[in-house]
Amino acid sequence: MIATGEFADGPVLGIETSCDETSAAVLIGPRLAGHVILSQDAHERFGGIVPEIAARAHLRQIDHVVGEALSEAGVGPRDIDGVGVTAGPGLIGALLVGLNWAKGFAYALGRPLVGVHHMEAHVYANSLDAPGLEPPFVALLVSGGHTMLLHSRAWGDYILLGETRDDAVGEAFDKVARTFGLGFPGGPEIERTARDGRPGRFRLPRPMLTSTDLPGDSAYLDFSFSGLKTAAALLAGELTSTGGSERLVQARPDLAAEFQEAVIDVLVTKTRRAVDLTGCNRVVLGGGVSRNQHLRERLNTELSGTAEVHAPPPRLATDNAAMVACVARHRLLAGERSSLSLNADPAYPFPGLTPHLT
Ligand code: KG4
Ligand code: ZN
């Protein structure tokens, strides 16, 4: 059954529960009128996200989070004209909470519903603070679960240029931070620690930047972070075994700086290759790792004169429902509707994505 109802570009409610942020947003036209993001800190002591805890926390928080977003926007449930919800990818239990909530809401009020792909939403986040921003562009998506380079020729039309063959870049930040004895999430911890250090004192590999990675070879734009992660862990282990944890703590700023530099060298090089290959003069960023200031600065510097780099404000770069509402509004305006049998899917296919033909 399709959640029926006309859509007249009235307020759109967006819901995001794919990982550990419970978030709801209200877009009125292109304007973000209400937005609440509740980050779950219950995972910190486990050093990673515990799926069952995430799902239960979403369940406890979602009514309240939606209620707050509506009141911030100054609208009531009946004013909502359409609903968008992340249907995947993500943690199944976590996704189900948001999806079922959204389905119930859409059904009860007779409003149209649209399922949204989480990573496509990270691309759209760029248009929230820059309404004139339009494809074509290269998108570098760097999160805890994904690392992708896309060529977007139009909204909803993407070519996959490259992706990770093993760990996502955010996952590597989180795991390496743990081996360095830093907290969770690891990305911000490594960035902070690296400010007091300098790269080069220790040497880590820059995976998949070798001369054999040529245009036409899929390795040219693909990524791999698991070897780098292991190399960083081995280095930390060596320092601890020769000088105890004090030696590790003393070396940590330089270790963090070298790890961050290695990751950024790879991301910047591959993004520049993607720009050269596609001829795009614009690059957009998305995903939690794109909050990294050093990454933003290096991309800006090294692409200056070639491409303009756009990154969403930090709050919109990480997981949030505003980006979900933004995709939903586009799709609702295009006449798209999801059926009420829409299911959460941890491997939800990226709509409009075609593989790069080499
Ligand atoms: O997009 P996101 O909020 O959630 C997913 O969809 O995965 O990304 C979360 C990831 C985590 O791995 C976190 O460590 C990383 O983004 N992250 C960062 C920074 N802030 C968050 N990585 C590097 N530098 C940062 N400043
Ligand atoms: Zn995300």
Side-chain angles (χ1 to χ4, degrees), residues 94 128 204 222 248 337:
L128 282 161
L204 288 170
D222 271 354
L248 177 65
R337 307 286 185 263

Side-chain angles (χ1 to χ4, degrees), residues 13 35 70 72 85 107 125 135 210 215 228 243 275 287 299 313 322 335 339-340:
L13 174 65
H35 193 198
L70 292 174
E72 203 178 295
V85 61
Y107 179 67
T210 63
L228 170 58
V275 166
L299 280 169
S339 144
L340 283 179

Side-chain angles (χ1 to χ4, degrees), residues 258-299:
E258 174 64 12
F259 172 74
Q260 178 172 265
E261 205 67 22
V263 168
I264 294 177
D265 279 349
V266 173
L267 295 177
V268 171
T269 304
K270 302 264 168 171
T271 306
R272 203 176 37 220
R273 287 179 183 177
V275 166
D276 291 344
L277 197 75
T278 57
C280 284
N281 59 9
R282 192 172 301 123
V283 171
V284 306
L285 307 183
V289 181
S290 74
R291 292 176 71 136
N292 188 289
Q293 278 307 320
H294 192 47
L295 171 65
R296 290 182 180 211
E297 282 157 20
R298 287 228 10 224
L299 280 169

Side-chain angles (χ1 to χ4, degrees), residues 6 15 42 51 70 74-75 86 93-94 98 140 149 153 179 281 310 335 339:
E6 290 304 305
I15 292 177
L70 292 174
V75 298
T86 306
L140 173 67
L149 264 172
R153 295 172 296 190
T179 62
N281 59 9
H310 187 272
S339 144

Side-chain angles (χ1 to χ4, degrees), residues 298-317:
R298 287 228 10 224
L299 280 169
N300 269 308
T301 312
E302 289 173 44
L303 290 173
S304 110
T306 314
E308 172 200 324
V309 179
H310 187 272
R315 186 171 148 86
L316 298 175

Side-chain angles (χ1 to χ4, degrees), residues 106-316:
Y107 179 67
L109 294 179
R111 300 296 192 270
L113 172 79
V114 179
V116 171
H117 188 283
H118 180 80
M119 296 312 290
E120 187 182 24
H122 274 305
V123 179
Y124 271 74
N126 285 278
S127 68
L128 282 161
D129 75 317
L133 189 139
E134 294 282 333
F137 48 64
V138 164
L140 173 67
L141 302 182
V142 278
S143 73
H146 293 82
T147 307
M148 308 170 105
L149 264 172
L150 306 178
H151 175 202
S152 173
R153 295 172 296 190
W155 291 118
D157 173 357
Y158 311 96
I159 298 170
L160 178 63
L161 299 173
E163 64 187 328
T164 185
R165 294 182 173 189
D166 41 57
D167 288 3
V169 60
E171 188 183 351
F173 265 103
D174 293 338
K175 289 182 176 162
V176 166
R178 190 166 0 165
T179 62
F180 289 175
L182 296 169
F184 178 85
E189 293 274 318
I190 286 188
E191 181 172 22
R192 202 173 312 118
T193 309
R195 283 195 199 115
D196 300 323
R198 60 179 174 81
R201 181 176 153 211
F202 301 104
R203 195 68 193 157
L204 288 170
R206 273 68 175 156
M208 298 182 83
L209 286 191
T210 63
S211 56
T212 54
D213 298 344
L214 298 170
D217 181 334
S218 67
Y220 189 63
L221 293 169
D222 271 354
F223 303 91
S224 163
F225 293 105
S226 99
L228 170 58
K229 176 191 70 183
T230 306
L234 286 174
L235 198 51
E238 251 171 60
L239 288 166
T240 313
S241 65
T242 53
S245 59
E246 274 156 45
R247 174 120 197 263
L248 177 65
V249 170
Q250 176 264 324
R252 208 153 56 188
D254 290 336
L255 278 176
E258 174 64 12
F259 172 74
Q260 178 172 265
E261 205 67 22
V263 168
I264 294 177
D265 279 349
V266 173
L267 295 177
V268 171
T269 304
K270 302 264 168 171
T271 306
R272 203 176 37 220
R273 287 179 183 177
V275 166
D276 291 344
L277 197 75
T278 57
C280 284
N281 59 9
R282 192 172 301 123
V283 171
V284 306
L285 307 183
V289 181
S290 74
R291 292 176 71 136
N292 188 289
Q293 278 307 320
H294 192 47
L295 171 65
R296 290 182 180 211
E297 282 157 20
R298 287 228 10 224
L299 280 169
N300 269 308
T301 312
E302 289 173 44
L303 290 173
S304 110
T306 314
E308 172 200 324
V309 179
H310 187 272
R315 186 171 148 86
L316 298 175

